[in-house]
């Protein structure tokens, strides 16, 4: 009671930040229960049958309102994680610092979160802790439905859909903001960015994805507070940048990040994208290609994306190492390792993704070999398709001849006979090399035999 009073008096600067409960009828918002995934709907229904409050919340409601297919479904409830777990046989509690429950429904996993409360100030026992810049480090205080809405970042993300009544509970005029195409922060934007600087990136991503304008109040402080991003752990930044690049609006996001002053030195990944004049066309083509794939519902792999973002760095290193006298293929491998060593650490690229990137790069010189058995071997490579798509991007950017891409397209799609006729005669230098190797072989074995 006292805590509520204090938070009401001191906690929130902007008027009405706690929000008044508005219930919006289906005739006004247009979302129907059958638009939800069956898993999220059943999860909410089960919680309600057990006497708890439950809603589909956040991005899914926002996306449905905007006419976009939601990526995933989140459920918010007043049941504690332990109570949620008792309602579902196939469920488990995830996370220690911020506990949520994963409910498994068929092949779907629904994330269920207990309503969160205000996090209070540093040092208050049982409340959130912040770092020296105000970033919230711990955040596991339960609260009311109204508290939960106030803790979310943007008004369009604080919408609660109840499938039983098909109504939306809206504390912060999120439905109206979405209709007016405005991305508005809940509460005082400066304070909310200090609590979590990643919200600056989320603002850019969500505005680009949904075609919204960032409200001037929320936009203004970004330039001033941009450096707070430096305090965010690299792995979280990596996750957020990956979301941004695979949002289906990567090109728009990158342009907007640049406009908001959210790049130089703050986002190593973005520096990679923007600070390579030679590769800019290639990188932009790659982002356009990723956007198109996402919009067509095709899968995108982080490995492919990063392979394209870093390729021109590899090319430059490769040239330098070759110029110093190394042979082409070993030079490429040295260049790959050097680039990945520097970037993996900076960008927090995981080892698995680094492996995928290398596979794609290592295939590139092999596409040059179009005689004998070699092209058949390339087709068999597990990462062939990614390597081939990568080659086509190189063609599109003008780095390699269109003819090479066409040849591989024909070879890939051709039957056995077509493939055989496509094969090129071995290059004279290849024949010479093979002969030389043959000639050298007995000589070296002769050397090995003691006289
Ligand atoms: P998408 O799923 O399209 O990436 P989303 O808004 O659903 O976007 P999630 O990360 O799935 O993003 O988060 C679900 C909800 O949790 C959000 O809609 C928002 O209400 C809340 N949320 C997420 N991140 C934050 C944050 N940094 N600060 C405050 N609320 C957040
Ligand atoms: Mg989501």
């Amino acid at each position: 009671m006292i805590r509520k009073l204090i938070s009401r008096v001191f906690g929130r600067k902007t008027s009405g930040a706690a929000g008044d409960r508005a219930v919006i009828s289906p005739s006004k918002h247009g979302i129907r229960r059958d638009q939800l995934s069956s898993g999220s709907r059943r999860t909410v229904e089960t919680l309600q049958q057990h006497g708890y409050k439950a809603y589909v919340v956040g991005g899914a409601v926002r996306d449905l309102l905007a006419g976009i297919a939601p990526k995933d479904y989140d459920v918010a409830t007043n049941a504690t994680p332990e109570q949620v777990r008792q309602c579902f046989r196939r469920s488990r509690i995830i996370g220690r610092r911020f506990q949520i429950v994963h409910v498994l429904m068929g092949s779907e996993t629904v994330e269920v979160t207990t309503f969160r409360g205000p996090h209070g100030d540093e040092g208050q026992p049982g409340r959130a802790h912040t770092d020296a810049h105000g970033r919230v480090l711990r955040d596991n205080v339960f609260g009311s439905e109204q508290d939960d809405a106030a803790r979310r970042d943007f008004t369009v993300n604080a919408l609660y859909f109840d499938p039983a009544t098909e109504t939306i509970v809206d504390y912060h005029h999120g439905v109206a903001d979405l209709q007016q195409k405005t991305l508005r922060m809940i509460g005082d934007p400066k304070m909310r960015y200090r609590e979590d600087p990643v919200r600056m990136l989320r603002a850019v991503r969500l505005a680009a994805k949904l075609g919204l304008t960032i409200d001037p109040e929320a936009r203004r402080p970004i330039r001033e507070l941009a450096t707070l991003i430096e305090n965010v752990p690299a792995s979280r930044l990596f996750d957020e940048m990956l979301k941004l690049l695979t949002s289906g609006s990567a090109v728009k996001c990158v342009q907007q990040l640049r406009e908001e002053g959210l790049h130089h030195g703050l986002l190593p990944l973005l520096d990679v994208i923007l600070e390579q004049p030679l590769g800019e066309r290639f990188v932009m083509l790659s982002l356009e290609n990723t956007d198109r794939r996402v919009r067509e519902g095709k899968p995108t792999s982080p490995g492919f994306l990063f392979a394209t973002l870093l390729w021109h760095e590899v090319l430059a290193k490769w040239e330098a190492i070759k110029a110093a006298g190394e042979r082409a293929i070993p030079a490429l491998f040295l260049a790959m390792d050097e680039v990945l060593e520097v970037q993996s650490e900076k960008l927090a690229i995981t080892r698995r993704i680094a492996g995928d990137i290398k596979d794609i790069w290592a295939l590139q010189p092999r596409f040059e070999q179009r005689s004998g058995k070699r092209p058949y071997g390339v087709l068999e490579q597990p990462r062939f398709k990614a390597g081939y798509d990568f080659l086509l991007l190189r063609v599109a950017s003008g780095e390699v001849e269109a003819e090479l891409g066409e040849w591989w397209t024909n070879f890939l799609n051709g039957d056995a006979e077509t493939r055989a006729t496509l094969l090129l005669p071995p290059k004279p230098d290849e024949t010479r090399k093979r002969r030389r190797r043959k000639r050298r072989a007995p000589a070296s074995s002769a050397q090995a035999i003691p006289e």
Side-chain angles (χ1 to χ4, degrees), residues 272-291:
V272 168
I273 297 173
L274 297 174
E275 284 165 24
Q276 46 173 329
L278 281 178
E280 187 166 341
R281 185 168 153 65
F282 182 67
V283 164
M284 279 304 163
L285 272 174
S286 148
L287 294 183
E288 281 166 21
N289 178 54
T290 312
D291 283 350

Side-chain angles (χ1 to χ4, degrees), residues 368-416:
E368 307 282 343
Q369 302 166 345
R370 290 181 276 166
S371 59
K373 290 198 182 115
R374 286 171 172 177
Y376 296 97
V378 173
L379 279 186
E380 297 303 315
Q381 293 300 310
R383 307 283 302 163
F384 169 79
K385 190 64 188 26
Y388 164 73
D389 285 343
F390 193 90
L391 175 73
L392 294 187
L393 265 186
R394 293 171 65 210
V395 168
S397 73
E399 186 210 322
V400 288
E401 296 287 332
E403 188 265 329
L404 185 64
E406 282 159 18
W407 190 92
W408 275 99
T409 304
N410 293 334
F411 191 73
L412 171 65
N413 298 324
D415 57 16

